[in-house]
Amino acid sequence: MFAGLPELGISNGEDLKETLTNCTEPLKAIDQFQIENGILLPTLQSALPFLDLHGTPRLEFHQSVFDELRDKLMERVATIAEGKEEDRYGKLEELLEKSFPLVKMPSIQPVVMQVLKHLPKVPEKKLKMVMADKELYKVCAVEVKRQIWQDNQALFGDEVSPLLKQYIVEKEAALFSSDLSILHNFFSPSPKTRRQGEVVLKLTQMIGKNVKLYDMVLQFLRTLFLRTRNVHYCTLRAELLMSLHDLDISEICSVDPCHKFTWCLDACIREKFVDGKRARELQGFLDGVKKGQEQVLGDLSMILCDPFACNTLVLSIMRNLQELLSQDSLPRDSPDLMLLLRMLSLGQGAWDMIDSQVFKEPRLDVEVVTRFLPAMMSVVVDDHTFTVDQKLPGEEKSSPPYPTTLPDAFTRYLQENRVACEMGLYYVLHIAKLRNKNALQRLLPALVETYNDMAFGDIFLHLLTGHLTLLSDEFGSEDFCSVVYDGFLLTSFSSKENVHRHTLRMLLHLHHKVLPSHVETLMKTLEPPKQCSEPVKELYTQLTEKLDAQKKSPPPADEAPSLDLGLHPVTVPTTASTPTTPL
């Protein structure tokens, strides 16, 4: 416990033991030991007997003096470090040399750690000693750990790895949330709110202003993205940079070539729309990538691959297409649309670019603009024509049935082109948001076969299940249930466990609206196999319990879906002049 005292010429317990063993008068020896090792203040000696008279043990007195001096010394260390003196770090290094032998002594350790914390460059030998001792490494400040980590990538990786795993777990938990809502979904939190997450804050603190550590984290994210294809690592890449931006860490932001692009895109994500001005800014960054610096495209593509960026780009494309329709303009004639498609294409190609190390913007298939988008617009026109026709007076109606097939170009590009598929999926969400049952029944079967099974990805299924709550009353129809479940979700649930989970999530939320006969069939079909994961079994158990409870209690009267806008009714007192029956 008192290791290191002899090195500083201070006596310890072993010295007292030796003195008492070899002396003839123990009491005198103890007195002498106390004088030599007590507080060297002559006026204090005469005052100590007063403490004895008050029954205050010498240990208690010395401990309180020691604590006070230690606190003063730690304050002084911080003051020296924050001062402007040229030799301030020299003074701290001198103090470190004197105090470091006592670093294992619990009462002195805080002083040593305070000195280490305030030294911008701790001597290599001391760093190695701290790193080699698990206990010391554990208690040292993050400022000291940064100096250890920057030359020990493996150790830094061990510290960062659990945080990255936690981040992915949190994102996936949000996608499988038990709440199904169009208002509160995966994309609802603002960028600033997301950056307050535990993992982002911890990583930001671990990096501090250290460019080397920032580069290491980015390398970990690229490697994990390549290994897993998990797009949440792209989100973290952007969130981390913007978290450092929020703290004005110019040492890092000024050297990250993606900083201004990410900052501009972050503003678009906040608004969930890329306006014309910001679109031109983003285009300027993309066009400004100089020859020999093409590698930056790898990082830009990762930032655009972030699901939050992708969501913003596709929503902006949808708004753009609506405007073009109202103006009778062609997609190819809109520079804003072409830029949005260019960025979407760059984001969608992130994995391929980083994997191949060929840093070149992917060329957008021109037929996406000349064939796929017109085909998608023709579906919109079909729907609009049918709606208008239904509103015409009887004698003017041509009464064509609602179209059931889709243009070949639409289904082909859904299957063959990543960018087209992303737009097609968001068009389906747009249709669901409009509560357009006919169009949804026409489109959903086409999603069984999409590029890389994108329609069965967690993000799309999370959004679709939330959007389908708007059509909850339609689940009472055999046709609609068949299209949603048999025609789409159940086509792949047995081979894709995530689809199984999302199907159960939705049924748990809407079971009381689904036809009882259909619920019975679904429960048999969705029964989890033995080898499936716990979350699926838990969801199935919850659903079984809910259905059992529903059988025991009478069904509630159908209520109109709540459209609560947060406005609370005001009670008006009934008086003779106030009629109590509706007029």
Side-chain angles (χ1 to χ4, degrees):
M1 187 175 173
F2 300 108
L5 286 174
E7 288 178 46
L8 300 174
I10 299 170
S11 303
N12 64 3
E14 288 299 317
D15 295 313
L16 179 60
K17 187 179 173 185
E18 195 178 321
T19 303
L20 292 173
T21 306
N22 299 326
C23 74
T24 50
E25 294 183 57
L27 291 175
K28 277 189 178 176
I30 289 169
D31 280 342
Q32 188 60 33
F33 189 88
Q34 284 181 323
I35 290 164
E36 288 172 5
N37 294 288
I39 298 170
L40 301 176
L41 190 66
T43 52
L44 182 64
Q45 294 307 314
S46 54
L48 286 174
F50 284 111
L51 292 174
D52 300 337
L53 291 172
H54 284 283
T56 304
R58 295 285 172 93
L59 172 64
E60 193 180 310
F61 166 69
H62 281 96
Q63 188 63 53
S64 67
V65 172
F66 176 86
D67 292 344
E68 187 69 26
L69 288 172
R70 183 183 59 197
D71 293 345
K72 293 279 182 202
L73 180 56
M74 287 173 73
E75 280 175 29
R76 182 77 186 121
V77 167
T79 307
I80 291 170
E82 288 159 12
K84 299 275 169 70
E85 294 173 43
E86 279 185 28
D87 66 335
R88 62 189 186 278
Y89 297 128
K91 285 179 182 175
L92 293 184
E93 281 183 26
E94 203 179 311
L95 181 57
L96 182 65
E97 282 302 320
K98 287 179 181 174
S99 60
F100 199 81
L102 304 178
V103 72
K104 300 285 276 182
M105 200 168 153
S107 53
I108 297 288
Q109 195 179 77
V111 176
V112 184
M113 290 303 163
Q114 178 82 331
V115 177
L116 286 168
K117 176 184 171 179
H118 284 96
L119 273 174
K121 189 154 177 53
V122 175
E124 189 69 25
K125 189 181 170 187
K126 301 285 188 289
L127 274 183
K128 283 182 177 171
M129 288 166 78
V130 171
M131 189 173 96
D133 189 308
K134 278 186 181 174
E135 288 303 312
L136 287 182
Y137 174 76
K138 195 176 173 184
V139 295
C140 75
V142 72
E143 289 84 351
V144 184
K145 284 179 178 168
R146 282 185 204 131
Q147 297 185 47
I148 294 171
W149 292 332
Q150 68 176 9
D151 296 315
N152 293 274
Q153 188 168 350
L155 183 61
F156 186 50
D158 291 343
E159 292 273 357
V160 167
S161 183
L163 290 173
L164 302 184
K165 280 179 188 161
Q166 182 188 334
Y167 184 84
I168 298 302
V169 167
E170 286 170 3
K171 288 288 179 199
E172 287 175 353
L175 288 170
F176 287 107
S177 157
S178 55
D179 295 332
L180 261 76
S181 165
I182 192 166
L183 298 173
H184 304 288
N185 61 37
F186 182 74
F187 293 114
S188 297
S190 71
K192 201 112 182 180
T193 304
R194 287 188 281 118
R195 294 198 286 274
Q196 300 310 307
E198 185 188 358
V199 172
V200 177
L201 291 177
K202 274 190 181 174
L203 284 172
T204 307
Q205 188 200 17
M206 287 167 82
I207 290 165
K209 297 178 179 182
N210 194 309
V211 177
K212 203 171 177 184
L213 294 180
Y214 177 66
D215 282 340
M216 277 190 215
V217 174
L218 295 194
Q219 195 49 51
F220 295 151
L221 293 175
R222 285 185 206 106
T223 306
L224 287 163
F225 175 50
L226 270 184
R227 195 181 298 162
T228 63
R229 290 181 181 259
N230 194 321
V231 290
H232 301 312
Y233 291 116
C234 301
T235 308
L236 185 52
R237 188 311 180 204
E239 282 179 358
L240 191 56
L241 173 54
M242 286 309 297
S243 175
L244 292 161
H245 166 90
D246 291 343
L247 294 170
D248 285 328
I249 310 288
S250 58
E251 291 86 346
I252 290 173
C253 293
S254 62
V255 295
D256 188 331
C258 303
H259 172 228
K260 286 184 178 173
F261 182 87
T262 310
W263 184 9
C264 183
L265 188 61
D266 186 74
C268 299
I269 293 169
R270 189 178 63 236
E271 306 293 333
K272 289 189 170 58
F273 181 62
V274 183
D275 61 40
K277 185 181 173 224
R278 289 199 180 113
R280 284 185 288 280
E281 271 186 68
L282 293 166
Q283 183 173 9
F285 295 127
L286 289 177
D287 293 343
V289 175
K290 296 184 177 73
K291 209 170 183 183
Q293 294 179 346
E294 290 90 354
Q295 205 162 339
V296 74
L297 283 172
D299 273 331
L300 289 175
S301 69
M302 237 183 122
I303 282 157
L304 287 166
C305 187
D306 161 21
F308 288 86
C310 186
N311 177 60
T312 303
L313 290 172
V314 190
L315 288 176
S316 303
I317 287 169
M318 289 297 143
R319 269 178 69 172
N320 235 287
L321 290 171
Q322 282 174 308
E323 282 174 24
L324 291 172
L325 262 179
S326 65
Q327 295 161 5
D328 290 342
S329 301
L330 290 170
R332 72 187 87 169
D333 297 331
S334 167
D336 283 355
L337 178 65
M338 296 309 290
L339 173 65
L340 291 167
L341 289 170
R342 176 188 174 187
M343 288 194 286
L344 184 61
S345 178
L346 181 56
Q348 296 283 340
W351 190 91
D352 295 323
M353 188 186 291
I354 296 167
D355 180 51
S356 65
Q357 292 290 292
V358 176
F359 299 105
K360 194 177 174 186
E361 273 195 58
R363 183 170 290 177
L364 177 69
D365 182 349
V366 71
E367 290 200 348
V368 168
V369 182
T370 59
R371 294 207 169 177
F372 171 75
L373 287 179
M376 191 164 93
M377 291 301 95
S378 75
V379 176
V380 179
V381 171
D382 285 347
D383 187 66
H384 187 66
T385 307
F386 180 81
T387 308
V388 170
D389 191 69
Q390 295 302 301
K391 290 176 183 173
L392 291 171
E395 64 276 5
E396 290 180 37
K397 272 188 188 179
S398 55
S399 294
Y402 191 88
T404 52
T405 57
L406 288 163
D408 287 344
F410 183 79
T411 49
R412 182 160 57 86
Y413 276 92
L414 277 184
Q415 293 165 23
E416 295 174 8
N417 187 283
R418 191 165 19 197
V419 174
C421 186
E422 193 74 60
M423 289 189 284
L425 295 180
Y426 268 78
Y427 176 61
V428 171
L429 294 176
H430 175 70
I431 287 299
K433 195 174 182 180
L434 297 175
R435 296 179 168 87
N436 189 331
K437 175 187 156 188
N438 288 331
L440 203 56
Q441 286 180 228
R442 181 185 182 189
L443 287 160
L444 273 180
L447 302 189
V448 174
E449 285 183 51
T450 50
Y451 183 90
N452 216 10
D453 274 345
M454 281 168 70
F456 294 117
D458 288 330
I459 292 173
F460 176 69
L461 288 177
H462 167 89
L463 294 172
L464 180 67
T465 50
H467 280 60
L468 285 173
T469 58
L470 296 173
L471 292 129
S472 57
D473 289 337
E474 304 295 347
F475 281 89
S477 138
E478 184 68 47
D479 288 350
F480 191 72
C481 273
S482 294
V483 168
V484 174
Y485 289 108
D486 307 333
F488 176 55
L489 291 170
L490 297 185
T491 59
S492 75
F493 88 101
S494 56
S495 59
K496 295 180 188 299
E497 195 178 87
N498 70 311
V499 181
H500 198 159
R501 276 179 81 177
H502 284 292
T503 308
L504 285 168
R505 276 176 69 240
M506 189 165 77
L507 198 53
L508 193 61
H509 193 81
L510 297 171
H511 64 88
H512 58 289
K513 296 282 189 180
V514 181
L515 280 174
S517 58
H518 219 93
V519 172
E520 211 172 299
T521 312
L522 284 169
M523 287 305 285
K524 285 175 188 168
T525 311
L526 293 168
E527 189 170 351
K530 284 179 185 173
Q531 69 275 18
C532 79
S533 69
E534 281 307 308
V536 173
K537 290 177 184 172
E538 281 171 29
L539 277 169
Y540 189 79
T541 307
Q542 282 177 38
L543 183 56
T544 308
E545 287 168 1
K546 267 201 169 187
L547 291 170
D548 288 345
Q550 191 182 325
K551 281 174 192 170
K552 288 172 189 168
S553 59
D558 273 359
E559 288 179 22
S562 168
L563 290 172
D564 181 20
L565 300 175
L567 305 172
H568 300 287
V570 177
T571 307
V572 181
T574 306
T575 63
S577 60
T578 311
T580 52
T581 51
L583 296 170

